[in-house]
Amino acid sequence: EVKLVESGGGLVQAGTSLRLSCAISGFSFSDYDIGWFRQVPGKGRDGISCINRNHDRTYYAQSMEGRFTVSSDHVKNMVYLQIDSLETDDTAVYYCGAAPECVRWGVGGHGVGLNGAIYWGQGTQVTVSS
């Protein structure tokens, strides 16, 4: 069974950093590309970053470049999202997803997403206070 479990969210102060974790099981790192997304109530899920199945290439949405860093640990079967200089607008539920392909979309490829059937985790809430 393909399973992704996010953790590491919580209530944090603006200006601090946070590392979210995505524990994967039921599949190999070489099977899927992994993406990080976030969603606020009433809006769609926004792509933040993506790491390909070989974990040698990363993609970031243009609006997310600079403060977000995706990384992976093959030994632990984990994918991470580091968020620096947290802002109140970062308050959202953060999800990791696994799919056949990371994609860029939009004019100039400013957005990132996943293409194909996507397996989602349950999400982890990040709340940033001012």
Side-chain angles (χ1 to χ4, degrees):
E1 178 190 6
V2 174
K3 194 173 181 182
L4 299 95
V5 179
E6 302 92 337
S7 62
L11 176 62
V12 295
Q13 284 196 321
T16 61
S17 297
L18 195 65
R19 190 177 77 162
L20 305 180
S21 299
C22 175
I24 68 171
S25 60
F27 65 98
S28 168
F29 266 99
S30 61
D31 291 339
Y32 296 106
D33 294 356
I34 307 292
W36 279 99
F37 295 74
R38 68 184 184 184
Q39 187 171 22
V40 297
K43 292 192 175 182
R45 205 164 286 189
D46 291 329
I48 300 170
S49 68
C50 200
I51 186 166
N52 70 338
R53 66 190 62 205
N54 293 325
H55 292 244
D56 60 359
R57 183 172 295 181
T58 57
Y59 308 88
Y60 295 91
Q62 283 187 3
S63 62
M64 307 291 183
E65 287 179 348
R67 295 192 300 115
F68 296 83
T69 305
V70 63
S71 62
S72 63
D73 185 326
H74 288 209
V75 175
K76 296 181 179 179
N77 281 349
M78 300 287 287
V79 180
Y80 303 102
L81 182 70
Q82 175 80 19
I83 312 173
D84 297 319
S85 302
L86 280 154
E87 303 170 354
T88 54
D89 285 347
D90 293 324
T91 296
V93 179
Y94 285 73
Y95 297 90
C96 59
E101 185 183 18
C102 290
V103 293
R104 285 200 171 276
W105 57 267
V107 177
H110 69 271
V112 296
L114 293 171
N115 193 35
I118 303 173
Y119 295 94
W120 293 107
Q122 84 290 346
T124 185
Q125 175 72 47
V126 174
T127 303
V128 183
S129 63
S130 58

